[in-house]
């Protein structure tokens, strides 16, 4: 009985909504009035004395009714077909009076499968330590709203989810967005579950930069001290070079007058000493 009250179908399929009464083989549809209506106000299909007396424009060429089990067949199913229906059966015993045999509701639950999730990753910032990414997962053409989930190396993450639909009875498009700071290569998985079935897509997110961190520049005081040492060293080398040049020149390059005097001294005859008899006698 519970299965008759709720019927599930997907968009585009052929579905039958069971009625609460079945005409015995000893009778025919001519002895009955049958009304199939939606939301208790919208007549989908109606028969009286075996003839079709009413049909809704939106269901034209999409509905049929069984002549014995009074099942309402809808094909193809659309999103707008979602909702409660009611089968009202009257028996015509007399031309002016009728007896209501049943008027039980049945609910049609329409679903549409979402497409397989599509994952995209966009690098927003990059450094040697990590890669910042904007990861998006999207799916379209589903009904009703479903559960979208994500996992980073099998660890659940929380999406920033956006649903887009023209109305509450239209197909949905969904996009989940997530900001990630990737420090190593990871597997990202996006799943969407609808009507008990899940579709998943995985993507390898790579850390895009493995550069070597630049050397930290020395502080200003170190640079200043190094500069002073270098300047002093160069100045010392310059002064030493000048001193050595002058010292060598003083030994190898004497003035001409000094040389000539030296030669004259060498050419003087030796001094002779006369020994007197007085001296010798001493």
């Amino acid at each position: 009985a519970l299965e008759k009250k709720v019927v599930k179908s997907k968009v585009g399929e052929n579905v039958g909504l069971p009625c609460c009464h079945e005409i015995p083989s000893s009778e025919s549809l001519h002895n009955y009035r049958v009304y199939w209506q939606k939301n208790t106000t919208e007549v989908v299909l109606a028969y009286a004395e075996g003839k079709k007396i009413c049909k809704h424009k939106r269901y034209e060429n999409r509905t049929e009714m069984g002549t014995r089990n009074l099942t309402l067949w809808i094909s193809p199913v659309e999103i707008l077909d979602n909702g409660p229906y009611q089968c009202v059966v009257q028996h015509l015993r007399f031309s002016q009076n009728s007896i209501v045999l049943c008027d039980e509701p049945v609910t049609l639950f329409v679903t549409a499968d979402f497409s397989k999730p599509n994952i995209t990753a966009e690098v927003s910032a990059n450094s040697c330590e990590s890669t910042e990414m904007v990861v998006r997962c999207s799916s379209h053409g589903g009904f009703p709203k479903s559960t979208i989930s994500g996992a980073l190396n099998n660890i659940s993450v929380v999406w920033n989810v956006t649903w887009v639909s023209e109305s509450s009875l239209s197909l949905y498009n969904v996009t989940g967005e997530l900001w990630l700071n990737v420090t190593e290569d990871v597997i990202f998985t996006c799943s969407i579950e609808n009507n008990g079935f899940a579709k998943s897509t995985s993507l390898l997110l790579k850390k895009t930069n493995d550069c070597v961190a630049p050397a930290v520049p020395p502080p200003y005081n170190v640079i200043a001290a190094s500069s002073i040492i270098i300047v002093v060293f160069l100045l010392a080398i310059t002064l030493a070079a000048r001193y050595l040049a002058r010292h060598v020149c003083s030994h190898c390059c004497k003035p001409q007058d000094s040389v000539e005097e030296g030669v004259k001294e060498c050419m003087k005859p030796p001094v002779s000493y006369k020994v007197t008899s007085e001296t010798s006698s001493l």
Side-chain angles (χ1 to χ4, degrees):
L2 290 175
E3 291 179 357
K4 289 184 178 181
K5 291 182 179 180
V6 178
V7 177
K8 295 181 179 181
S9 180
K10 292 183 179 181
V11 172
E13 290 183 345
N14 182 23
V15 65
L17 303 182
C19 186
C20 52
H21 183 77
E22 186 172 340
I23 297 176
S25 57
S26 58
E27 294 187 272
S28 68
L29 190 58
H30 290 78
N31 299 327
Y32 292 84
R33 284 199 188 104
V34 181
Y35 298 92
W36 269 105
Q37 53 193 24
K38 184 182 180 186
N39 298 322
T40 68
T41 57
E42 184 179 303
V43 178
V44 178
L45 198 61
Y47 279 83
E49 298 179 353
K51 297 180 180 179
K52 189 184 295 185
I53 59 173
C54 183
K55 61 181 179 181
H56 196 281
K57 273 188 175 184
R58 204 176 63 78
Y59 293 92
E60 192 171 359
N61 300 324
R62 292 198 306 120
T63 55
E64 291 181 3
M65 191 185 74
T67 56
R68 292 246 171 234
N69 59 15
L70 309 180
T71 298
L72 177 65
W73 292 95
I74 304 175
S75 178
V77 174
E78 299 175 357
I79 291 294
L80 290 176
D81 297 334
N82 189 75
Y85 292 77
Q86 191 173 21
C87 181
V88 181
V89 182
Q90 297 176 344
H91 191 277
L92 302 176
R93 292 187 178 181
F94 304 101
S95 57
Q96 294 181 352
N97 298 321
S98 61
I99 299 174
V100 177
L101 300 179
C102 70
D103 59 352
E104 293 181 5
V106 56
T107 300
L108 176 59
F109 185 70
V110 181
T111 63
D113 290 338
F114 280 87
S115 64
K116 187 176 181 179
N118 180 48
I119 303 175
T120 59
E122 178 183 345
V123 176
S124 60
N126 207 355
S127 68
C128 295
E129 293 78 18
S130 64
T131 300
E132 293 183 11
M133 295 183 179
V134 182
V135 181
R136 294 182 179 89
C137 179
S138 59
S139 182
H140 61 273
F143 186 88
K145 286 184 179 181
S146 300
T147 302
I148 181 172
S149 59
L152 194 64
N153 281 352
N154 296 323
I155 300 176
S156 298
V157 296
V158 179
W159 287 107
N160 181 15
V161 181
T162 302
W163 294 93
V164 177
S165 178
E166 294 181 358
S167 69
S168 60
L169 288 176
S170 299
L171 297 177
Y172 285 96
N173 298 333
V174 60
T175 300
E177 187 175 90
L178 186 67
W179 288 78
L180 292 178
N181 194 12
V182 179
T183 57
E184 60 182 357
D185 295 352
V186 291
I187 298 293
F188 191 84
T189 302
C190 177
S191 303
I192 187 162
E193 186 176 347
N194 184 27
N195 198 26
F197 297 96
K199 294 181 179 180
S200 299
T201 301
S202 296
L203 181 67
L204 175 62
L205 302 180
K206 291 187 175 182
K207 180 177 175 293
T208 59
N209 198 351
D210 292 323
C211 62
V212 178
V216 179
Y220 174 78
N221 55 351
V222 175
I223 296 176
S226 301
S227 300
I228 293 172
I229 292 172
I230 293 172
V231 171
V232 170
F233 179 73
L234 293 177
L235 183 59
I237 291 176
T238 304
L239 293 175
R242 291 183 178 181
Y243 173 77
L244 289 175
R246 290 180 180 179
H247 183 70
V248 172
C249 185
S250 65
H251 285 77
C252 299
C253 302
K254 291 183 177 180
Q256 189 64 28
D257 293 342
S258 300
V259 175
E260 291 178 354
E261 289 178 0
V263 174
K264 291 178 179 179
E265 288 291 333
C266 294
M267 293 179 67
K268 285 182 179 179
V271 177
S272 61
Y273 296 93
K274 293 180 179 181
V275 181
T276 64
S277 59
E278 294 179 354
T279 304
S280 60
S281 64
L282 291 176

